[in-house]
Amino acid sequence: MAKDLLKLSGLEIAECIKNTEVSKDEVLSFFRKRIDSIDPRIKSFVEVYSEPVKTLGGSNLAGVPIALKDNICIKGKRISCASRILSSHISVYDATVVKRLKEAGLLIAGTTNMDEFAFGSSTESSCYGPTRNPWDLERVPGGSSGGSAAAVAMRLVPFALGSDTGGSIRQPASFCGVVGFKPTYGRVSRYGLVAFGSSLDQIGPITTNFIDCAYLLNVICGFDEHDSTSSRKDTPDFTQFLRKDIKGLRVGIPKEYFSAGLDREVESALKEAVNIFKKQGAKIVDVSLPHTEYAVATYYIIAPSEASSNLERFDGIRYGMRKDASALIELYKKTRGAGFGDEAKRRILIGTYSLSSGYYQAYYMRAAKVRTLIKKDFEDVFRSVDVILTPTSPAAAFKIGEKTKDPLSMYLSDIYTIPVNLAGICAVSFPCGFTRNNLPIGAQLIGKAFDEGTLINAGFSFQQETDYHNKIPVINM
Amino acid sequence: MVDKKTVEYVANLARIDIREDQKSRFTDELSRILEYIDKLKELNVESICPTRGAFTEENVLRPDRQKKKEYYTDILNNAPASEDNHFRVPKVI
């Protein structure tokens, strides 16, 4: 039994439970044993629940365990965002995605590691220490949803949820060789997700394949009155796009994503991916997104501005830790000085600076205008293509410690994922090859707003022709 | 670009204590980051409308109704200090 479960998707495990080939308890204890024996080496979990969170209903995925990034509220459970400042905070309500998971009968198995408040691309800024990439323990799993991606890659859970503000689902998915989907802004409720950049944040699934991805999107997407930016657009049944038919699909290849700075091995894996799409009948179109080079600069004004405002609430009065002082302002300063890590401080300082009197026009306002140009680039290109294919990251996973001394180099590792968040559209990273050192390479498909279905269709077709997503890392114990 | 004084000024606005030994590091890092961000000045954006959110759907309003205080105790339990159903803070006046 044990060997089979490892090779099954979440959907197949749910089917086995339904057919009584295996019980829910057997599934749980199988993954629990895997976590206990393997996770001490990769440290992907923050907390593993001794009993999974109670469910309220059923669905195609009922009985399957899932892990959640530690920035999503689960009522009665600890939430920390991997920050000292929240330390022992207990969520007082369920995030809307948690409510939906419970109603679908999924079993929440625990919470996963992340960069502090999702500020980072490597999971190294976590107050618990870094998660390791299961393909090479000396390397980062990517970030900020590095714990979720590493756990799924290692099959410690069949799937997990992450959050994506500038690539935090897709980049770790790419580094760990799994599928990471960032839905269109407004598709998934942000209620109960600890806010980072409120105009950019979106929760999404991390899975091993596109079938589980479509089924999980069915569970978590949909209008929610608790999120004022939640879209009222109808949610399609995403599983109807699981067809191997992409004849005539117009795939745009933006030249700006294949220029200087792209690793050779990543480039050749992407070329191979283009060939696979071509072989299946897709039409390849050269396109241009001329403002791509301004995306990282734009993002590092907008995201820290929103973050500095969102993190004002952590003041030592209502949450987590407090450093006592005789005056209120001193209490704020001491608490925030001791509670936030370096990257959180850096981003709060950048954000506060760009929103401060005298700099607002030059920084925040200018960035908000460039954001319009970046968004328009995509609108223009999507007049002539259905999807855009790019690398997810300029290179495969980097070494632990390699970029921590140079924040700007860390920021630039998200150069291909950030534009999608600024435009609010949807995108997915999926495995498309391996480097000579056996590190996964990720390809990114970008779609029009609310056109997740076409991405699922294209990704599913790709996985019918390839086997990269079935590879499981081997860790010598 | 950014000097130590600016870092101290912004840290005060953000209500964050920064250790003396960290100030010069933050000054260097912030200077480098802002220098990179200055790239945006290459573009003429005078006539461009700013984008503040991903999609401009209409304003979302709901009736202002009184609700049960269902989370009251749980919220106070999370506070570092509380007394008589209130958050406790140092003397303000």
Side-chain angles (χ1 to χ4, degrees):
Chain A
M1 184 276 281
K3 203 179 164 197
D4 288 334
L5 279 186
L6 196 58
K7 293 199 168 146
L8 297 184
S9 67
L11 181 69
E12 287 164 335
I13 293 171
E15 279 163 3
C16 289
I17 295 171
K18 221 175 292 163
N19 304 336
T20 64
E21 286 169 60
V22 60
S23 74
K24 265 189 211 178
D25 287 343
E26 283 172 312
V27 171
L28 270 178
S29 92
F30 171 81
F31 286 105
R32 181 65 200 234
K33 272 188 200 141
R34 249 183 108 67
I35 294 170
D36 288 346
S37 68
I38 300 170
D39 205 46
R41 300 293 299 280
I42 61 172
K43 298 187 167 65
S44 62
F45 276 84
V46 167
E47 186 175 357
V48 183
Y49 301 142
S50 49
E51 291 284 321
V53 175
K54 270 217 164 69
T55 60
L56 306 163
S59 73
N60 294 324
L61 297 179
V64 184
I66 185 166
L68 265 56
K69 188 176 180 178
D70 195 25
N71 61 350
I72 299 172
C73 292
I74 306 163
K75 188 176 178 166
K77 298 290 184 188
R78 271 196 310 182
I79 181 165
S80 76
C81 296
S83 177
R84 280 187 302 271
I85 207 160
L86 263 171
S87 50
S88 56
H89 187 82
I90 307 290
S91 293
V92 300
Y93 63 94
D94 275 335
T96 298
V97 290
V98 169
K99 188 169 156 268
R100 285 171 168 270
L101 291 174
K102 285 180 176 178
E103 285 165 358
L106 283 118
L107 304 178
I108 300 172
T111 52
T112 54
N113 201 14
M114 56 187 280
D115 282 292
E116 181 179 9
F117 285 108
F119 299 152
S121 315
S122 67
T123 315
E124 290 170 286
S125 72
S126 162
C127 71
Y128 306 110
T131 294
R132 288 164 187 276
N133 190 316
W135 292 95
D136 178 348
L137 300 178
E138 300 300 306
R139 289 176 191 270
V140 302
S144 64
S145 312
S148 287
V152 174
M154 207 56 235
R155 301 338 189 231
L156 303 184
V157 273
F159 34 52
L161 293 187
S163 67
D164 191 314
T165 306
S168 281
I169 288 174
R170 289 161 287 154
Q171 184 256 22
S174 140
F175 281 12
C176 292
V178 292
V179 177
F181 203 108
K182 188 211 88 83
T184 307
Y185 186 83
R187 198 55 121 174
V188 180
S189 170
R190 294 182 294 109
Y191 182 68
L193 169 70
V194 177
F196 161 7
S198 302
S199 78
L200 306 157
D201 297 340
Q202 199 62 186
I203 297 171
I206 295 178
T207 59
T208 58
N209 61 70
F210 274 93
I211 301 173
D212 283 350
C213 177
Y215 277 89
L216 260 186
L217 283 171
N218 272 2
V219 173
I220 63 171
C221 292
F223 173 72
D224 176 24
E225 61 171 359
H226 294 304
D227 173 1
S228 66
T229 60
S230 173
S231 171
R232 287 180 181 270
K233 282 205 166 58
D234 284 341
T235 312
D237 172 5
F238 293 111
T239 64
Q240 67 175 301
F241 298 99
L242 296 169
R243 336 174 276 261
K244 194 190 163 192
D245 172 22
I246 54 162
K247 257 195 199 78
L249 183 80
R250 298 169 302 170
V251 179
I253 310 292
K255 62 176 182 205
E256 291 81 4
Y257 286 64
F258 291 85
S259 57
L262 178 60
D263 178 86
R264 285 248 174 92
E265 288 184 277
V266 175
E267 189 179 5
S268 59
L270 259 292
K271 282 194 174 142
E272 196 42 49
V274 171
N275 284 335
I276 289 166
F277 282 117
K278 215 192 270 180
K279 220 169 69 189
Q280 293 185 302
K283 205 179 138 212
I284 307 301
V285 187
D286 288 327
V287 297
S288 170
L289 296 157
H291 295 95
T292 302
E293 64 169 306
Y294 300 102
V296 174
T298 304
Y299 178 84
Y300 275 95
I301 292 293
I302 289 172
S305 294
E306 295 185 10
S308 70
S309 167
N310 276 324
L311 267 59
E312 278 170 12
R313 75 193 64 180
F314 302 109
D315 56 5
I317 306 299
R318 292 158 292 167
Y319 309 95
M321 68 173 271
R322 168 186 288 194
K323 289 277 173 196
D324 274 311
S326 52
L328 192 58
I329 289 198
E330 288 314 305
L331 182 153
Y332 294 154
K333 287 185 174 177
K334 277 184 160 180
T335 301
R336 289 162 66 82
F340 289 130
D342 283 356
E343 185 56 27
K345 284 180 186 155
R346 215 174 273 127
R347 298 213 190 182
I348 291 172
L349 292 177
I350 299 171
T352 306
Y353 180 79
S354 18
L355 293 175
S356 66
S357 166
Y359 294 97
Y360 179 81
Q361 290 292 335
Y363 287 98
Y364 182 78
M365 194 47 104
R366 177 171 287 271
K369 288 178 169 188
V370 180
R371 185 176 183 181
T372 304
L373 297 173
I374 291 165
K375 207 174 158 196
K376 194 174 165 293
D377 278 358
F378 283 108
E379 286 163 8
D380 291 346
V381 164
F382 279 128
R383 281 198 198 98
S384 53
V385 302
D386 303 304
V387 295
I388 297 170
L389 180 68
T390 79
T392 308
S393 182
F398 46 89
K399 288 228 160 101
I400 290 175
E402 191 180 320
K403 292 186 197 278
T404 43
K405 294 240 156 50
D406 181 5
L408 189 58
S409 74
M410 185 78 85
Y411 298 172
L412 288 166
S413 71
D414 289 333
I415 192 159
Y416 301 146
T417 48
I418 276 173
V420 166
N421 299 76
L422 291 171
I425 52 184
C426 56
V428 59
S429 176
F430 56 97
C432 73
F434 286 88
T435 66
R436 280 189 310 268
N437 294 329
N438 202 34
L439 295 173
I441 298 171
Q444 174 177 238
L445 277 168
I446 304 173
K448 292 173 203 168
F450 300 101
D451 193 21
E452 287 84 359
T454 305
L455 300 185
I456 291 167
N457 177 212
F460 176 77
S461 300
F462 184 87
Q463 292 195 332
Q464 299 305 298
E465 291 292 315
T466 57
D467 197 34
Y468 306 118
H469 60 290
N470 290 325
K471 302 261 189 283
I472 304 175
V474 179
I475 293 181
N476 296 322
M477 301 306 283
Chain B
M1 280 238 345
V2 176
D3 54 16
K4 196 174 137 191
K5 265 205 156 125
T6 313
V7 169
E8 285 169 348
Y9 169 72
V10 176
N12 178 51
L13 285 180
R15 303 287 188 256
I16 295 181
D17 261 352
I18 295 192
R19 289 199 320 267
E20 203 53 44
D21 61 302
Q22 285 190 322
K23 282 181 189 165
S24 65
R25 188 160 61 84
F26 277 128
T27 306
D28 291 347
E29 287 170 354
L30 257 52
S31 293
R32 284 202 52 216
I33 293 163
L34 290 170
E35 195 182 326
Y36 176 78
I37 283 167
D38 269 346
K39 199 177 167 53
L40 297 183
K41 291 189 177 145
E42 293 167 12
L43 295 167
N44 179 2
V45 290
E46 219 167 296
S47 59
I48 311 288
C49 284
T51 298
R52 290 192 180 82
F55 302 104
T56 27
E57 293 190 31
E58 57 200 78
N59 220 350
V60 181
L61 302 169
R62 62 163 173 76
D64 195 13
R65 271 197 232 106
Q66 201 180 336
K67 273 189 193 167
K68 249 191 356 198
K69 303 177 286 188
E70 49 184 324
Y71 307 136
Y72 206 90
T73 326
D74 294 340
I75 290 170
L76 282 172
N77 282 344
N78 272 319
S82 63
E83 199 179 307
D84 295 339
N85 283 338
H86 290 82
F87 296 117
R88 194 179 162 80
V89 297
K91 203 169 169 185
V92 182
I93 313 163

